[in-house]
Every structure is written in C-alpha cells, then in structure tokens.
Amino acid sequence: MDQDSHCTAERELLEAADKFTTFSTTSPSDEDQNQPKAEISCQARKESPEKDKLQDSNASLSPNSSMTTKELQEYWRNEKRQCRQVKLLFEIPSTRIVEHHLSKYVMYKIIILQTGSFDSNKSVIERRYSDFEKLHRNLLEEFSEEMEDVTFPKKTLTGNFTEEVINERKLAFKDYLRLIYSMKYIRRSKKFIDFLTKPELQEAYGCLRGGQYTKALEILLEVIGLQERLTRGNPVAVVPTLCAIVVCQKDLENPASAFEYGEKALSCLHVHTSHKYYIPLLETMITLAYELGKDFLSLQEKLEEWKAKKDPIRILTLKELAVREYVQ
C-alpha cells in the first residue's frame, strides 16, 4: 500500500471512531421521552484524567502515525469493546401460587439480565402483587411528575388466580419494570433498588445474625451482582454487602475469599475514609493478610494514619456492624 493510501485508510478509521463516540452519547431529548436507554459502562471516559489519555491517544493517531492499518483497526475494535453499552432487561417467565394459612397470593418470578457486555450472569428474584403495589405508591410520592403516564394493573375482586389474569399481569409488570428502569432518576433511586434487593438482603442478614453463615453467604453472593449493576457509579452503596460477605467467609474459615472481597470493599472506600465500615474493614484485612502471609504493613500504615487524625473512640468490629444492618 503506498503512503497516500495508507494515510487515507487511517483518516477513515479516525472518522469512524468519532462517529462511534457521537453515537454512544445519550441526548437529553431521549430522556424526556422516557425511552429505555443504556448506561455506558465506560465510566472512565467521564473522568478528566482518562479523557485526557483518550485525547492524547487520538492525537498520537494522526495521519503521520506509524501504526499500520491493521493495528488501527484492532485499536478501535478494543475501544468499542470497552465502551459497549450496558442495560438491564426484565423478564417474567413464570409464576407460582402460594397458599399460607389464611392467605393466598401469586409470586412472579423476575429474571434480570444484563446486555451489552460479556457478563452473562443473571439474577432471579420473586415478588408478589402487593410488592409491586408498594413500589408504585413509593415512587408516586417522590416522582409524581415522571410517573404521571405510568399505568399500574388494578386489583380485581375476583379472578385474581385465573390463568388469564396472571398472564396479563406478567406482561404488565414486565412493561412496568422496563418503563421505570428507563427513567434515570427512578432507576437510581433507593426505593427502586430496595424493591429489587432488600427482601433478599434482609433474609441474608437474618441468617448471618443467626449464625447460618453458609445460607447467608449463598444469598449475599446472589444479590451482590445485581446490586453492583443497579448502583453503577455509586460503589459505596455495595460496601455493607461486600463486608457481610467478608464476615461470612471469615467465619467459614475461607480467609482467601474473605480477603478478596475485602479488597473490593476497600477499593470502594479509598476516598471515603470517614465511612463507618472503613476502619473495621481495615482491621479485619490486617488480620486476614497476616493469616495468609500477605503484606499487611501498608494496611497497618493506613490504620495508624487514620488513628492519628481522630480522637480515640471505640470502633465496632466488622461483624458487629454487619449484624446491625437491616435490624428493624
């Protein structure tokens, strides 16, 4: 390939990359129309240091770049892969009728899938009509304007357990979740996130308080993936769950796994050293690092640095903090 052809190919690739960046940006008008939108998983682009790196990369890929056409194609392929659009999809494939003493109700199985990434994990939860109804009331209190055109399936005096009514509600609840998730402020709200995660978390913490660490851990590991997807951009929100996993793993004598999740929790708190979990987590991580033969001096230095700045007060242990979560 001659020099002119080589330069032309590079310019075409750069133009294509610019179009890709433009296409990946959500316009404000889309949000106003309440259309389902994707969260861009490439959060680093929103931070100035990474943005500067990207600009530097673009600058280096000028027509005079020494990269071959094949190398440029691979470069932009990797860029596109890193900025793959991410969103959650809701499916309600089945139901079951529950009869408990004098009550009878329908449980709707909700499968939550993540698209636009290589992560194929899915979350499965169950909710009944009254759970959806409570969510709707709570959202109306805070988001009355956004919810004005959102319809909710009404209760019926009879026929609630007929196949026809149940199937209609399955479709209605699926559309309902899809619609409210498409609204940015609602999908980020505590009320919506609690609807999808709180019942399972309450059960898990109940097991933890009762010393049923295996059962608690099983539930927590199911919830944490969904919680991370729902709180994208707010990593501190998952710290209590990560720390509860650390407590369970530690008490089940799995120090390596406990340390792994502890590192995740610490990374979420690196700029939130005043968080109530920070020091108890540091102390636990020092113990785990010592047990595993890992370097604990850097963790010890952080602990001493924090203690030097604060008045000496009694700090709860990580386990003491965990058992207090979701106590009514």
Side-chain angles (χ1 to χ4, degrees):
M1 180 183 294
D2 58 32
Q3 184 65 29
D4 291 341
S5 299
H6 181 72
C7 292
T8 300
E10 289 183 342
R11 283 194 293 271
E12 289 175 350
L13 283 167
L14 289 169
E15 289 172 2
D18 289 338
K19 290 179 181 179
F20 166 74
T21 304
T22 303
F23 180 76
S24 297
T25 303
T26 303
S27 65
S29 60
D30 288 340
E31 194 70 51
D32 295 338
Q33 295 173 8
N34 289 333
Q35 292 298 320
K37 288 170 291 300
E39 293 279 5
I40 304 301
S41 64
C42 189
Q43 294 293 334
R45 287 185 178 275
K46 298 180 181 178
E47 301 176 6
S48 56
E50 295 300 323
K51 185 177 181 181
D52 291 340
K53 289 180 182 178
L54 181 60
Q55 290 173 340
D56 290 342
S57 298
N58 285 338
S60 67
L61 295 176
S62 66
N64 295 322
S65 170
S66 61
M67 295 177 71
T68 66
T69 300
K70 184 176 181 180
E71 288 172 337
L72 280 167
Q73 289 173 335
E74 183 62 28
Y75 174 87
W76 291 119
R77 190 178 295 115
N78 289 335
E79 284 292 302
K80 183 175 181 180
R81 189 178 296 122
Q82 291 172 11
C83 293
R84 191 179 292 268
Q85 292 184 323
V86 175
K87 65 179 180 179
L88 297 182
L89 297 178
F90 300 87
E91 298 290 342
I92 305 181
S94 61
T95 62
R96 64 186 178 95
I97 297 176
V98 178
E99 295 190 54
H100 185 67
H101 297 303
L102 299 178
S103 64
K104 183 179 180 181
Y105 52 88
V106 179
M107 294 294 288
Y108 296 85
K109 181 179 180 180
I110 306 169
I111 298 179
I112 305 163
L113 303 166
Q114 177 174 307
T115 65
S117 78
F118 297 109
D119 186 1
S120 59
N121 290 337
K122 63 182 180 182
S123 300
V124 181
I125 60 176
E126 284 188 316
R127 297 293 182 265
R128 54 190 290 189
Y129 181 95
S130 59
D131 295 324
F132 280 97
E133 190 177 39
K134 182 180 178 181
L135 170 66
H136 190 66
R137 286 198 309 269
N138 289 339
L139 292 179
L140 283 174
E141 291 175 1
E142 188 174 350
F143 305 102
S144 57
E145 186 175 341
E146 291 87 345
M147 297 285 291
E148 62 182 0
D149 295 325
V150 178
T151 58
F152 188 82
K154 296 180 180 180
K155 274 187 176 180
T156 58
L157 296 177
T158 60
N160 286 313
F161 302 102
T162 64
E163 184 177 354
E164 181 182 0
V165 170
I166 291 174
N167 286 334
E168 285 178 358
R169 285 184 176 174
K170 278 169 54 179
L171 294 174
F173 285 143
K174 174 185 173 180
D175 290 340
Y176 178 80
L177 290 173
R178 177 194 61 80
L179 182 56
I180 61 177
Y181 177 76
S182 74
M183 303 176 192
K184 180 175 66 174
Y185 296 109
I186 292 181
R187 70 169 171 262
R188 294 178 180 176
S189 71
K190 185 177 184 299
K191 293 177 179 178
F192 180 63
I193 294 171
D194 280 352
F195 167 78
L196 295 171
T197 60
K198 190 173 181 178
E200 286 73 23
L201 287 172
Q202 287 177 320
E203 182 184 359
Y205 279 100
C207 292
L208 192 157
R209 284 188 289 272
Q212 301 176 47
Y213 301 115
T214 300
K215 179 63 176 177
L217 181 61
E218 178 185 337
I219 300 171
L220 290 168
L221 291 175
E222 285 286 332
V223 175
I224 188 63
L226 175 59
Q227 211 177 9
E228 287 173 334
R229 293 177 178 90
L230 292 168
T231 59
R232 194 180 302 278
N234 181 25
V236 176
V238 301
V239 167
T241 307
L242 288 171
C243 288
I245 292 174
V246 172
V247 169
C248 291
Q249 296 280 24
K250 187 172 183 294
D251 279 30
L252 290 170
E253 299 182 356
N254 299 322
S257 295
F259 191 83
E260 177 187 348
Y261 281 94
E263 285 187 314
K264 290 182 180 180
L266 272 182
S267 69
C268 296
L269 294 176
H270 72 284
V271 293
H272 301 279
T273 57
S274 61
H275 195 281
K276 67 178 181 178
Y277 272 92
Y278 181 68
I279 293 305
L281 179 60
L282 263 184
E283 292 176 335
T284 300
M285 291 294 285
I286 291 170
T287 301
L288 289 169
Y290 183 80
E291 182 179 349
L292 293 167
K294 294 178 178 289
D295 175 29
F296 61 88
L297 293 179
S298 59
L299 296 170
Q300 188 70 48
E301 288 173 2
K302 290 179 181 178
L303 180 61
E304 296 301 327
E305 180 183 346
W306 186 92
K307 287 183 176 179
K309 294 178 181 178
K310 302 288 183 180
D311 295 330
I313 56 174
R314 180 181 180 274
I315 301 294
L316 296 175
T317 66
L318 195 66
K319 189 172 184 178
E320 288 173 333
L321 272 179
V323 299
R324 282 167 168 74
E325 291 286 343
Y326 291 99
V327 173
Q328 301 298 330

